[in-house]
Amino acid sequence: RMTHQRASLLLALLVGSALSFAPSPHTTTVTLRRIQQSQTILNAGGFEWEDPTSDEADPGVENPFKNPSLLKSTDGDDSLKVDPARLLSPRLRGCNLYFIGMMGSGKSTVGDLVARRMGTYNFLDTDTILERAAGMSIPEVFEAEGEEAFRVAEAQVLDSVHAHVRIVVSTGGGLVMRNQNWSKLQTGLVVYLKVDPEVIMKRIEGTDRPLLQTENPLETLQKLTEERKERYEQADVTVEIEEGMSVEDVADKCVRALHDFIDDNPPAWKQAKAKAAADGLDWVQ
């Protein structure tokens, strides 16, 4: 059996390798130049301090769905001028995205696509990391160690993952039920993919999902959904998925919902700045 110390070491190594990537020299140069241009350094109490409220630090990117000129193609076809997901990245400013929901809801597939479309975010799947660390599949972990041991290992994965920034994370369906996990998810934005149990069963019927090895898998799934419903519905963004929706359709819906959420929940300093402008006052830098 895998020891706690060995598991922790493997998890750290796997998370590190999953996040490592080598951007091209051109990309690096452009990124560094933009960072240098965006920094406003002030001397405060002998320390250098970057003012997060400065115009230079604010990326100034708005909701593309409320700006038709960004979305409308000049070629006269239905294609977009810019992918709204690409504009989501600067608006998040490094904040992580956590996808939650029942097994089979599409968290891994949708999360991976959203991360790819954003361009500057990496994708991680907590189940995949756990499987690599344990050297066995999730069903094998359940069989060999039991559900409680699996939940402990799952929490260790999240501990390793949530310390990083600019990542999209797909989580296990039951991960949200532990308070210690939920508190870590709340350090980012939580997206709940809501799918009816009947639709999920059509997707995963015949699979070896450990919790569905019962006489009536659909009834079990419905019960699990009800047990987790209260926690799921505390997510920042809920995306309802209907039968027949493609992965691209769901990703589009997630991106739009996240843009709208950012609009509805601006940082406190941004609200104060907007109020000062409305009152005809100069914002003190």
Side-chain angles (χ1 to χ4, degrees):
R1 287 194 175 189
M2 180 175 53
T3 65
H4 175 84
Q5 184 177 11
R6 176 170 171 264
S8 299
L9 177 60
L10 283 170
L11 289 173
L13 291 173
L14 285 168
V15 172
S17 63
L19 285 170
S20 64
F21 64 99
S24 66
H26 173 72
T27 303
T28 305
T29 302
V30 172
T31 302
L32 289 174
R33 188 182 300 123
R34 286 176 180 170
I35 292 174
Q36 291 168 354
Q37 290 174 346
S38 68
Q39 286 181 330
T40 300
I41 304 298
L42 305 176
N43 291 319
F47 297 93
E48 286 190 345
W49 174 62
E50 182 180 349
D51 183 4
T53 68
S54 71
D55 290 330
E56 291 81 4
D58 182 3
V61 178
E62 298 180 355
N63 188 337
F65 294 101
K66 297 180 180 179
N67 188 344
S69 64
L70 286 175
L71 297 181
K72 187 177 180 181
S73 173
T74 57
D75 299 330
D77 56 22
D78 293 331
S79 62
L80 299 179
K81 182 185 293 186
V82 62
D83 186 348
R86 187 72 63 168
L87 300 180
L88 185 59
S89 180
R91 299 194 77 201
L92 287 171
R93 305 182 75 176
C95 179
N96 293 339
L97 296 179
Y98 295 98
F99 280 81
I100 66 171
M102 289 298 296
M103 63 185 86
S105 61
K107 302 183 295 290
S108 298
T109 309
V110 174
D112 184 37
L113 179 58
V114 169
R116 289 176 184 275
R117 287 176 53 183
M118 288 174 68
T120 58
Y121 271 56
N122 293 297
F123 174 73
L124 292 175
D125 186 318
T126 57
D127 281 352
T128 300
I129 294 174
L130 195 154
E131 287 180 329
R132 291 177 180 173
M136 60 182 81
S137 68
I138 298 299
E140 289 172 338
V141 173
F142 265 79
E143 184 177 353
E145 305 290 344
E147 182 177 358
E148 181 59 27
F150 169 78
R151 297 302 176 195
V152 171
E154 188 177 52
Q156 291 176 13
V157 172
L158 185 61
D159 282 343
S160 299
V161 166
H162 100 285
H164 298 274
V165 296
R166 296 187 181 279
I167 52 174
V168 177
V169 183
S170 168
T171 64
L175 181 142
V176 299
M177 298 306 290
R178 288 192 169 216
N179 289 334
Q180 68 184 81
N181 294 339
W182 185 248
S183 65
K184 292 181 176 64
L185 296 180
Q186 290 184 307
T187 62
L189 290 185
V190 183
V191 181
Y192 169 34
L193 299 186
K194 185 177 182 180
V195 190
D196 289 338
E198 292 76 13
V199 175
I200 291 178
M201 276 307 303
K202 292 180 181 179
R203 295 180 177 181
I204 66 175
E205 195 169 8
T207 62
D208 56 354
R209 306 276 178 160
L211 296 179
L212 297 185
Q213 304 308 305
T214 61
E215 292 183 4
N216 192 330
L218 176 57
E219 184 179 305
T220 303
L221 187 62
Q222 291 169 332
K223 183 180 178 181
L224 284 171
T225 302
E226 188 61 31
E227 289 174 355
R228 300 169 180 176
K229 178 180 178 182
E230 183 179 354
R231 185 54 61 85
Y232 282 155
E233 292 183 347
Q234 292 179 39
D236 299 301
V237 172
T238 296
V239 176
E240 296 191 11
I241 303 174
E242 300 174 0
E243 188 174 7
M245 289 181 67
S246 67
V247 177
E248 291 75 14
D249 291 338
V250 178
D252 286 341
K253 200 169 182 180
C254 290
V255 170
R256 181 158 195 161
L258 284 164
H259 273 297
D260 290 342
F261 178 84
I262 294 171
D263 280 352
D264 295 338
N265 299 272
W269 68 262
K270 206 163 191 175
Q271 296 181 55
K273 188 174 183 179
K275 186 178 185 303
D279 293 342
L281 302 174
D282 290 331
W283 179 260
V284 180
Q285 296 283 350

